[in-house]
Amino acid sequence: MPGPDVTVIIAAYNAMPYVTGSVTSVLDQSLGADRIELIAVDDGSTDGTAEELDRLAERAPLMHVIHQPNSGGPAGPRNLGLDRAAGRYVYFLDADDRIGPEALERMVAAADENGSDVVLGRIVGEGGRRAPRSMFKRDQPRTDVFSSRVYWTLNPMKLFRRELIDRLRLRFDTGLSIGEDQPFVATAYLEAAAISVVADYDCLYWVAREDGNNITAQEHGTRMRMDLFRTMAELVADRVPAGPDRDALMHRHFAVELRDAVLQLSREPRRDVQEKLLHELADLVALYWTDGLAARLPAVVRLRCHLIGRALLDELLTLVHWELDRGAASYGITTLAATATTLPEIQVEGGRAYALYPYFRDSTLNIPDDCYDLTAELGVRHRVDSAVLDATRLRLTGHAYIHRIATRDVTTELVLRKRGTDTERRLAVRHTPAPGIDKDSDLHDYSAAGYEAAIELAPLTAGLWDISLAVGAQGIVKEARLGSGRAEAVTTATTMLVTDEGTAVALYTTKPYGNLTLDVGETRHRVTPRLRVTGAQWSTETPATLVVNGRCTLNGWPLGALTVRAKGAEGVERAVPVEPSSAKGAFTAQVPCATAGEWELTLRLAVEGKEWSVPVPAQPSLKPARWRRFGMPWYAKPLAGRDVLTLRVGRVELLKAARARLKRR
């Protein structure tokens, strides 16, 4: 008998009443109770958690409860659960959280389909608990730590392939009092054949406990935070060669674990202890500091590291309290101040933006301006309000501005880049008013952020042209691809047309971000699939007339260029213009068939020597037609065995017809 698909491990300590919802969310999974093994380890609870787990296990044959004395943290109970796990996959769940009804089914499907060793399911916070979001912007069937944001969530509430855990002999570090999950998860990430992200479903609900006893909410001493920072920095340095990849992972630990260590340092009651620990931190920072890492870090982290490196304790403490006063928050649940986050004021100078953190250009400290330069951190906010493609140009309107930089001395340009080449075209835009476009507009003047732009199609050579804005204000220029932000009226459906010069042009949105791109010359979007004949039958009103029905889903073409063509011998042609009669491009063409000969029928679009055509398909149910002309009988009949509808038209030879009737008798 095959074993379970998933073993869910819950380490529980004094988790009432939350543990009931946690366990129930596992037992009620759509994956099916027979495919789930649940191991709950009671870590010496004294609040009724142990009894509640035993009660819940009575109705769940595949739920196993293990009781042990308190171990002081979740690492030991999780390891014990791993020792007993029988599932193909393992999922860790905290006793105060719960999972969505389809979570395990979706994550197992993602792992099986993509051969993934780790699967992240989207996390949402409840009761004010902050959850990581940056890695859940879209589904990612196969990714890794270097091409995605998954490394920024190192909690263990993920699906792990047990074969990977067993092969690596992974266990949680019982020597760490905080962050014991990080080495486990980071190692699994780095050794995984693939990582999947399920972002279109709420898989895990992070619940904020009313008693504040979530483990991430509890204070831990500076030494514990420093141990975690040291452990993770050593792990990354040991497994990832020096260079951009290592810097990318170190970024997380310098921005989060080092920050939390400094926060705890500020709470140490003794000055001598603070000074001793600060010097240890300085040695750690120096050990892993590189120019590449510095370039990735936000300005406030560079400033923090500069103060640590120079052992400027008072200045470092001032920075910590400055951040706390403005509502800085640590990773997870811990909120460091009750007020909302207040961003620093900015000074723009020489095309750079400097945050006015403490000690900016203090002549006694001479801290480098680079520790305050947040130009790279500024984001562009933008929206496309209209995108209209016609036979000659693409017209765009909308707004764009650099967040926190007033729209003075605006120099925004529209940028076209031909994909796969160095070809670039820059076009001026017309600046227009855009009042009240941002909730921060009372702090920063964005009233000149509107734009109007026109892209002439004729100069564009064949290829894919990506559309961006180089948004400029006060000498600062930031570039952003257009389209991901758009008004509801701006459709994501592909618009395609053929110009008067015979060039096929399509405006479409890329996946998954929805950015705008022009396809010139059918690089990716073809004309012929938009030409279709749906049927043909003889007219009931007009003799010798074939009624051809079809659809053209192009959004535009030159007048008279679309025809139903009847091609005869020696290049003789008859063409009937087609004009759709509905917004969906449906048409009906009346094709006269009164001229003797064999005629092959196609739907054709011809412009300036360029031609696209699709055949009128053979119509098995189409019978021969007969009519009289000047008193003489004529006929038109489809020829058998042809893929293209071909009609033979001619006058009935009376003698031959009479002989045929006699033979039939």
Side-chain angles (χ1 to χ4, degrees), residues 641-655:
R642 307 286 181 93
D643 294 330
V644 182
L645 179 59
T646 304
L647 299 175
R648 177 175 293 161
V649 180
R651 191 176 67 181
V652 177
E653 297 182 19
L654 297 179
L655 181 58

Side-chain angles (χ1 to χ4, degrees), residues 9 78 90-97 99 107 119-121 123 129 136 153-160 172 181 185 203-204 206:
I9 298 173
R78 287 176 184 155
V90 174
Y91 186 88
F92 299 98
L93 181 63
D94 280 353
D96 40 25
D97 300 329
I99 52 177
M107 287 191 285
V119 181
L120 289 73
I123 306 172
R129 189 170 186 184
F136 297 118
T153 172
L154 292 174
N155 72 73
M157 274 67 84
K158 299 166 178 63
L159 190 78
F160 297 89
F172 292 91
D181 45 3
V185 177
C203 292
L204 173 64
W206 264 7

Side-chain angles (χ1 to χ4, degrees), residues 44-60:
S45 299
T46 59
D47 69 339
T49 295
E51 293 77 12
E52 177 65 359
L53 289 174
D54 290 337
R55 184 188 71 80
L56 292 167
E58 291 177 357
R59 67 180 182 91

